[in-house]
Amino acid sequence: MEKNNPLEEDLLRLEELQNITQPFMQMMMEYRCAMEEIATKLRNLNDEFALLYDRNPFETIKTRIKRPVSILEKMKRRGFPVTIENMRRELSDIAGVRVICSFQEDIYTLADLLLEQDDIRLIQKKDYIEHPKPNGYRSFHLIVEVPVFLSSGKIMRRVEIQFRTIAMDFWASLDHKLRYKKNLKHGESIAAELKDCADAISRIDGKMQDILIRIEGDDEPKRKHFEENSDAPPAAE
């Protein structure tokens, strides 16, 4: 039997690799663009809010694209064939944005204003502030679709957005670090203490919100006043 030329075999393997890699890189580029679009929209709202009220509704904003190995692991864990089409259809957290706010009121204000933009489509909303997870986790999650404009035309891509207060983010970071420790002793008692900490942090967030209201002399949500002071028309009832 005649053996294939080693160079030809290498070229075939390279072509197969390119057939897999290029579509994946294209997909990741699309989600990166969608992520940056959401981040830009939130920064614009932050700048306008600061101009109107002399304070910013969020302290920091972080963006992340899911690592390829994490994407593959999640697809296999869920039992889906690993294809680009399945990744786009089944995964909503390839692109992620995390917004860290000072006050709970600002979380809901920002989320409402973002969702009112006519090119944003809400896919899912989960309010873990009003309805915390059993372990005490609190955060406000949105999954949205946002348009990405490419040379071939407009496409819609999903982005997961997490809104947290500074205190909620501090707790979640510690919880994640502790829970993934190997050979963790006294796991149940630690989980109970973490739950107590989450409840205490929630009470502190509530007190800080009350103090803000007393300082600003206004118990009405900022969203209403933001609309009244903005050039944009108010949201429809």
Side-chain angles (χ1 to χ4, degrees), residues 147-169:
V148 174
F149 296 90
L150 303 175
S151 60
S152 56
K154 182 179 77 171
I155 58 175
M156 301 294 290
R157 290 292 175 261
R158 280 176 284 179
V159 179
E160 181 187 55
I161 313 170
Q162 296 179 354
F163 295 89
R164 299 175 181 171
T165 65
I166 298 170
M168 291 175 197
D169 189 57

Side-chain angles (χ1 to χ4, degrees), residues 133-190:
K133 290 186 177 182
N135 68 340
Y137 174 85
R138 287 169 171 84
S139 188
F140 188 81
H141 292 197
L142 297 176
I143 296 174
V144 302
E145 277 190 340
V146 62
V148 174
F149 296 90
L150 303 175
S151 60
S152 56
K154 182 179 77 171
I155 58 175
M156 301 294 290
R157 290 292 175 261
R158 280 176 284 179
V159 179
E160 181 187 55
I161 313 170
Q162 296 179 354
F163 295 89
R164 299 175 181 171
T165 65
I166 298 170
M168 291 175 197
D169 189 57
F170 171 71
W171 182 90
S173 297
L174 284 181
D175 178 71
H176 184 269
K177 289 178 183 178
L178 293 174
R179 286 182 181 277
Y180 284 87
K181 290 278 188 183
K182 292 183 179 179
N183 302 317
L184 184 64
K185 295 181 180 179
H186 314 297
E188 290 185 4
S189 62
I190 289 173

Side-chain angles (χ1 to χ4, degrees), residues 103-228:
F103 303 98
Q104 289 185 21
E105 176 192 299
D106 293 337
I107 289 175
Y108 293 108
T109 298
L110 281 172
D112 284 349
L113 291 169
L114 180 67
L115 293 176
E116 285 172 3
Q117 298 191 17
D118 59 11
D119 58 348
I120 296 289
R121 178 171 173 252
L122 176 65
I123 303 299
Q124 188 179 74
K125 179 191 298 185
K126 290 186 177 180
D127 189 344
Y128 294 117
I129 299 174
E130 288 293 326
H131 307 285
K133 290 186 177 182
N135 68 340
Y137 174 85
R138 287 169 171 84
S139 188
F140 188 81
H141 292 197
L142 297 176
I143 296 174
V144 302
E145 277 190 340
V146 62
V148 174
F149 296 90
L150 303 175
S151 60
S152 56
K154 182 179 77 171
I155 58 175
M156 301 294 290
R157 290 292 175 261
R158 280 176 284 179
V159 179
E160 181 187 55
I161 313 170
Q162 296 179 354
F163 295 89
R164 299 175 181 171
T165 65
I166 298 170
M168 291 175 197
D169 189 57
F170 171 71
W171 182 90
S173 297
L174 284 181
D175 178 71
H176 184 269
K177 289 178 183 178
L178 293 174
R179 286 182 181 277
Y180 284 87
K181 290 278 188 183
K182 292 183 179 179
N183 302 317
L184 184 64
K185 295 181 180 179
H186 314 297
E188 290 185 4
S189 62
I190 289 173
E193 289 185 53
L194 283 171
K195 174 63 167 57
D196 290 342
C197 290
D199 293 340
I201 283 173
S202 179
R203 290 192 294 271
I204 291 171
D205 270 338
K207 288 183 179 180
M208 294 300 292
Q209 183 68 55
D210 291 341
I211 291 171
L212 175 68
I213 290 170
R214 288 164 59 192
I215 291 173
E216 296 190 339
D218 184 1
D219 60 358
E220 290 293 322
K222 277 288 176 289
R223 177 175 175 274
K224 175 183 176 183
H225 300 292
F226 187 95
E227 291 172 347
E228 290 173 351

Side-chain angles (χ1 to χ4, degrees), residues 7 40 44 57 68 71 83 121 229 237:
L7 178 58
T40 297
N44 290 344
I71 292 174
T83 67
R121 178 171 173 252
N229 287 287
E237 294 293 335

